[in-house]
């Protein structure tokens, strides 16, 4: 199993410099990849380009480029450029975001997200193979008919023959799609005891792609919060806001994929309470309502030895990359945390 690092967004001040310090430490520790995100603030492509220019061995990955934010051709151009400038270190993570961001920020309908994703990835892969791109689908048609446009071929060549594509997927059908059309899965709120259920859907997609394919050469990435310390309740507290936001506020009452995931994981009553409180703008109460057991199940908490045991559980469940999100308040503390997790991986004897 390999370690990755989530650096999230650029929020302001000098936090981008903190991101760079953390990534350079991760690179020195042998981490395989760092992932950057985007919502409706900083974009991932710019941050990843800046990071790639100041590193040499660690991969840089989008987790994720928002599908409604870019045409598939633009995504192929960005992926090819990042792969070229980084010396073949780019990983393309994609996701449809949610209806509020897709329709409210990008002005793109959220309907039929699975079909939109399937068409989008097909066009991106065709462009990155440097084919002359012609596509006729329900959501995308290239070139547009009846006009002056003509089918074109990407003029820049990526370093590699294939830039790996990852899908951020939560629901069963989207997990199956990830298995069918992607090279990896970007998971979130991952409990090792529930991963088997999720991977069964991915395996079904792999079987659709090719009979007997299984999970060979498929990267299962679990995005995992981490806090090191002796008091487990105190370790969980910084993660409460994160879990409450996803379960309670990431989407509407009728369409929150993470709330539905918590329900499938066996927390139906708790998920409803957290959502009710969050949507009533009682955010502190929503944070307090997230069960300690849930936070512990989807996080790395405690001392090095306990973290080593949890890493082993992730590996045994089928995770190939654990992408760490350190929740300490200072960059020095976050650096100490990723060092501890690297030591825990060595202690567990499961590192790649």
């Amino acid at each position: 199993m390999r370690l990755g690092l989530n650096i999230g967004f650029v929020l302001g001040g000098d936090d981008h410099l903190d991101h760079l310090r953390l990534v350079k430490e991760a690179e020195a520790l042998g981490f395989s990849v760092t992932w950057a995100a985007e919502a409706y603030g900083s974009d991932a492509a710019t941050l990843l380009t800046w990071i790639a220019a100041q590193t040499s061995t660690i991969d840089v990955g989008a987790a994720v480029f928002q599908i409604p934010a870019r045409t598939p051709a633009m995504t192929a151009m960005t992926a090819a450029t990042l792969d070229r400038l980084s010396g073949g270190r780019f990983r393309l993570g994609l996701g449809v975001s949610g209806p509020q961001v897709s329709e409210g920020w990008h002005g793109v309908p959220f309907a039929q997200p699975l079909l939109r994703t399937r068409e989008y990835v097909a066009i991106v892969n065709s462009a990155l193979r440097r084919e002359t791109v012609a596509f006729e689908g329900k959501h995308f048609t290239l070139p547009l008919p009846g006009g002056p446009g003509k089918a074109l071929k990407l003029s820049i060549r990526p370093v590699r023959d294939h830039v790996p594509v990852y899908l951020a997927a939560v629901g069963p059908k989207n997990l199956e799609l990830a298995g069918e059309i992607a090279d990896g899965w970007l998971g979130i709120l991952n409990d090792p005891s529930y991963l088997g259920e999720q991977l069964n859907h991915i395996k079904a997609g792999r079987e659709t792609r090719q009979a007997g394919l299984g999970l060979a050469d498929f990267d299962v990435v679990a995005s995992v919060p981490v806090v090191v310390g002796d008091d487990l309740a105190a370790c969980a507290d910084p993660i409460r806001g994160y879990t409450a936001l996803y379960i309670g506020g990431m989407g509407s009452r009728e369409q929150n994929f993470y709330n539905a995931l918590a329900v499938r994981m066996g927390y139906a009553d708790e998920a409803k309470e957290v959502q009710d409180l969050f949507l009533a703008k009682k955010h502190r109460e929503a944070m307090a309502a997230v069960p300690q057991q849930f936070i512990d199940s989807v996080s790395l908490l405690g001392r090095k030895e306990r973290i080593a045991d949890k890493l082993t559980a992730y590996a045994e469940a089928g995770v190939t990359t654990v992408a760490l999100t350190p929740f300490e308040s200072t960059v020095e503390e976050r650096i100490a945390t990723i060092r501890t997790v690297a030591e825990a991986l060595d202690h567990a004897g499961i590192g790649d």
Side-chain angles (χ1 to χ4, degrees):
M1 190 169 70
R2 299 171 295 274
L3 293 178
L5 174 69
N6 292 318
I7 55 174
F9 315 98
V10 173
L11 297 176
D14 290 333
D15 65 339
H16 61 292
L17 300 178
D18 290 346
H19 288 331
L20 182 60
R21 283 187 61 191
L22 193 59
V23 171
K24 286 188 171 182
E25 180 64 28
E27 183 174 50
L29 291 168
F31 280 43
S32 64
V33 61
T34 185
W35 302 96
E38 60 186 22
Y40 43 93
S42 62
D43 75 291
T46 305
L47 178 55
L48 291 173
T49 303
W50 186 72
I51 292 290
Q54 300 175 85
T55 54
S56 57
T57 59
I58 194 168
D59 281 8
V60 291
V64 294
F65 282 176
Q66 298 171 333
I67 285 175
R70 302 170 179 85
T71 67
M74 185 69 243
T75 290
M77 292 164 61
T78 303
T81 306
L82 267 166
D83 196 58
R84 170 60 58 184
L85 296 180
S86 68
R89 291 186 287 135
F90 179 62
R91 306 187 193 184
L92 174 58
L94 296 170
V96 290
S97 189
Q100 292 180 327
V101 171
S102 181
E103 300 192 6
W105 185 244
H106 297 299
V108 175
F110 188 74
Q112 298 183 307
L114 294 179
L115 179 58
R116 183 183 296 275
T117 300
R118 181 184 294 277
E119 292 184 5
Y120 195 97
V121 171
I123 296 169
V124 169
N125 280 334
S126 176
L128 289 173
R129 288 192 298 266
R130 301 190 71 245
E131 298 170 350
T132 299
V133 178
F135 188 87
E136 186 173 348
K138 184 165 184 179
H139 295 282
F140 302 98
T141 301
L142 296 171
L144 287 176
K150 65 177 184 178
L152 298 172
K153 181 169 71 174
L154 186 66
S155 62
I156 185 175
R157 187 182 298 274
V159 171
R160 294 164 295 172
D161 292 335
H162 177 71
V163 175
V165 173
Y166 291 70
L167 287 189
V170 177
K173 292 295 184 182
N174 209 8
L175 289 168
E176 189 170 334
L177 182 67
E180 181 185 349
I181 69 173
D183 304 293
W185 168 48
L186 298 168
I188 193 169
L189 302 180
N190 294 125
D191 177 349
S193 68
Y194 186 71
L195 270 163
E197 176 71 21
Q198 294 169 300
L199 292 183
N200 282 339
H201 296 297
I202 291 176
K203 289 175 183 175
R206 301 288 281 172
E207 188 70 19
T208 299
R209 180 170 178 168
Q210 178 183 321
L213 184 59
L215 293 178
D217 300 321
F218 187 88
D219 194 10
V220 177
V221 182
S223 180
V224 182
V226 54
V227 178
V228 176
D230 296 325
D231 184 333
L232 293 183
C235 288
D237 280 344
I239 304 172
R240 289 191 171 279
Y242 164 85
T243 50
L245 171 63
Y246 274 89
I247 296 172
M250 198 68 78
S252 65
R253 185 181 299 278
E254 296 75 21
Q255 204 167 27
N256 180 325
F257 307 117
Y258 308 98
N259 186 280
L261 172 60
V263 170
R264 291 194 297 274
M265 292 169 66
Y267 293 90
D269 292 341
E270 296 89 341
K272 183 179 185 305
E273 181 183 7
V274 171
Q275 186 178 62
D276 287 345
L277 289 167
F278 200 97
L279 294 181
K281 300 190 183 303
K282 298 179 179 179
H283 296 157
R284 291 185 180 275
E285 292 90 335
M287 291 163 58
V290 180
Q292 170 80 20
Q293 180 183 352
F294 179 85
I295 297 173
D296 193 17
S297 73
V298 301
S299 307
L300 294 171
L301 305 179
R303 297 172 63 89
K304 179 176 70 176
E305 294 76 16
R306 190 174 193 268
I307 289 172
D309 290 342
K310 186 65 171 287
L311 289 172
T312 300
Y314 274 118
E316 291 175 347
V319 172
T320 51
T321 302
V322 170
L324 305 176
T325 305
F327 268 77
E328 284 78 12
S329 57
T330 70
V331 67
E332 289 79 13
E333 290 171 322
R334 294 194 291 274
I335 287 172
T337 290
I338 67 171
R339 287 174 178 168
T340 298
V341 179
E343 292 171 1
L345 187 71
D346 288 340
H347 180 79
I350 56 173
D352 182 0

